Amino acid sequence: MRPKVYLSSKVSDEVKAYLDQYCECEMWQNPERAITGQELAEKIGDAEGLLAAGNAISERLLSAAPKLRAVSNISVGYNHNDLDAMKKRGIIGTHTPYVLDETVADLTLALMLAAARRVTELHNLVRAGGWQRGVGEQLFGLDVHHAKLGIIGMGRIGEQIAKRAKFGFDMEVSYYNRSRKPETEERLGVNYLALNELLEQSDFIVLMTPLTPETKHMIGEEQFNRMKRTAIFINVSRGETVDEAALIEALRTKRIYAAGLDVYEKEPVSPDNPLLQLDNVVTLPHIGSATRKTRNDMAMVAARNLVDALYGREPQYVIPELKN
């Protein structure tokens, strides 16, 4: 008998057809909104596998799924998984690294360009009929080419960002990481700096770290005060790595020049969040990997991980903390 699996979001026909070969599938069908935690707990029933798209894998959810053996995340991050609870139940957990690296790097460069050249602010100006005369200094932005870029977190995505910045925009690239990466330094021509030095010297600062107890609010008032007044801060990692109140104050007081954000402390962003009232911030709705091809590729990797786990094979991408 094929194992039962639940798909918490709609996937492409290609991914669904692959899963149907090996599993008895039930899929969330409402394209207008994501499934809630309560709805997922009610629907998961006797499923042995879960193909999850950003869902909280909590003690409560696991208690509602007594037959669950594997959770396959369509994401590289897994901070929404209760790993202790999964370990206790012997549940295999997987994710989808590598697939989205280049797509997220592309978006990071887009945010850097948009914040530096004030793209959304000036787009709104033109749309509102505010372009009445020639362009004066009040509409000028900052150059990206040949500027200094500091990357906090030189993982796979960080390397792709560095490559684009170094070889596409002739930027001087430095990085801070828990450990130095001499091979990366030689291959990409990047420099290692201590965190405070990176903050003080960089024109653009890109935060690209996972969310852990050590990285929560790693960027706050002290760090913003070390940045140049012309610095542009970019966050495409996790919202809780930044003290958002401190970021808002740094932007409001022009302590830093601008920010480009794809992630926030609370998502979706509340309409009354002060970030949405500031001209010097570019805001996106957590779309780092959101292209049709990349999301489909991620879902296919997650589907293969799930099938492997349910059929007793070692999945390609097991969450490191859950490896035996």
Side-chain angles (χ1 to χ4, degrees):
M1 180 180 291
R2 293 180 301 166
K4 292 184 178 180
V5 302
Y6 190 80
L7 286 60
S8 71
S9 66
K10 189 172 176 59
V11 296
S12 70
D13 292 344
E14 176 190 13
V15 174
K16 182 64 162 50
Y18 172 80
L19 285 169
D20 283 338
Q21 294 178 65
Y22 303 98
C23 307
E24 183 180 329
C25 300
E26 182 182 352
M27 183 167 65
W28 175 250
Q29 294 292 338
N30 190 338
E32 301 299 322
R33 64 175 180 84
I35 191 170
T36 67
Q38 178 63 37
E39 288 168 332
L40 181 56
E42 292 171 356
K43 287 184 172 292
I44 197 167
D46 58 354
E48 296 175 64
L50 171 63
L51 194 74
N55 312 99
I57 309 303
S58 63
E59 180 77 49
R60 178 187 176 193
L61 177 66
L62 297 178
S63 295
K67 294 186 178 180
L68 194 65
R69 296 193 284 124
V71 174
S72 183
N73 294 282
I74 309 176
S75 67
V76 64
Y78 46 86
N79 55 286
H80 50 283
N81 288 197
D82 186 334
L83 300 183
D84 289 336
M86 292 172 69
K87 279 182 184 178
K88 186 169 66 176
R89 288 171 167 79
I91 294 172
I92 299 169
T94 67
H95 64 146
T96 59
Y98 302 102
V99 188
L100 71 171
D101 296 352
E102 298 214 50
T103 300
V104 176
D106 288 350
L107 187 79
T108 302
L109 268 294
L111 281 170
M112 289 169 58
L113 288 162
R117 299 303 302 271
R118 301 165 61 183
V119 171
T120 55
E121 178 189 354
L122 299 183
H123 166 80
N124 291 334
L125 174 79
V126 174
R127 290 283 294 265
W131 185 23
Q132 300 292 334
R133 57 181 65 85
V135 175
E137 287 191 17
Q138 75 277 12
L139 302 184
F140 287 2
L142 300 178
D143 283 325
V144 177
H145 65 86
H146 295 92
K148 294 181 178 180
L149 168 63
I151 301 172
I152 302 172
M154 187 58 83
R156 299 177 308 274
I157 299 173
E159 289 191 14
Q160 292 295 338
I161 295 167
K163 184 169 67 174
R164 285 157 173 73
K166 179 78 175 180
F167 302 115
F169 290 87
D170 289 317
M171 299 183 82
E172 181 182 325
V173 181
S174 300
Y175 76 97
Y176 168 76
N177 205 55
R178 286 181 300 177
S179 57
R180 287 190 66 164
K181 305 182 76 172
E183 186 276 331
T184 300
E185 293 174 25
E186 183 176 353
R187 175 165 46 86
L188 296 180
V190 299
N191 306 304
Y192 176 84
L193 290 176
L195 179 58
N196 286 344
E197 291 180 281
L198 182 147
L199 295 171
E200 292 163 1
Q201 296 178 23
S202 300
D203 301 308
F204 294 82
I205 296 162
V206 171
L207 186 58
M208 185 50 67
T209 62
L211 178 61
T212 67
E214 293 73 32
T215 63
K216 184 173 182 179
H217 284 191
M218 73 175 295
I219 303 297
E221 182 180 3
E222 177 186 347
Q223 288 71 36
F224 288 119
N225 285 339
R226 288 185 178 274
M227 297 179 191
K228 299 178 180 181
R229 288 194 172 272
T230 53
I232 293 176
F233 176 72
I234 307 293
N235 190 10
V236 287
S237 56
R238 287 291 183 266
E240 291 179 272
T241 55
V242 177
D243 180 342
E244 199 165 276
L247 171 60
I248 290 167
E249 184 64 12
L251 290 165
R252 187 185 65 80
T253 61
K254 305 296 175 68
R255 182 62 193 76
I256 62 174
Y257 184 82
L261 307 173
D262 189 42
V263 292
Y264 311 86
E265 279 201 279
K266 293 183 179 179
E267 298 180 1
V269 173
S270 170
D272 60 2
N273 188 314
L275 285 169
L276 305 186
Q277 311 306 319
L278 297 170
D279 289 334
N280 58 338
V281 58
V282 180
T283 55
L284 294 176
H286 202 154
I287 59 165
S289 62
T291 68
R292 191 178 302 277
K293 181 181 185 304
T294 295
R295 284 289 176 86
N296 188 64
D297 289 347
M298 290 169 67
M300 183 57 80
V301 169
R304 292 190 177 116
N305 282 337
L306 186 60
V307 169
D308 285 344
L310 293 174
Y311 279 83
R313 300 186 292 268
E314 177 74 14
Q316 186 174 13
Y317 298 119
V318 177
I319 293 172
E321 291 87 340
L322 295 178
K323 285 186 176 180
N324 295 327

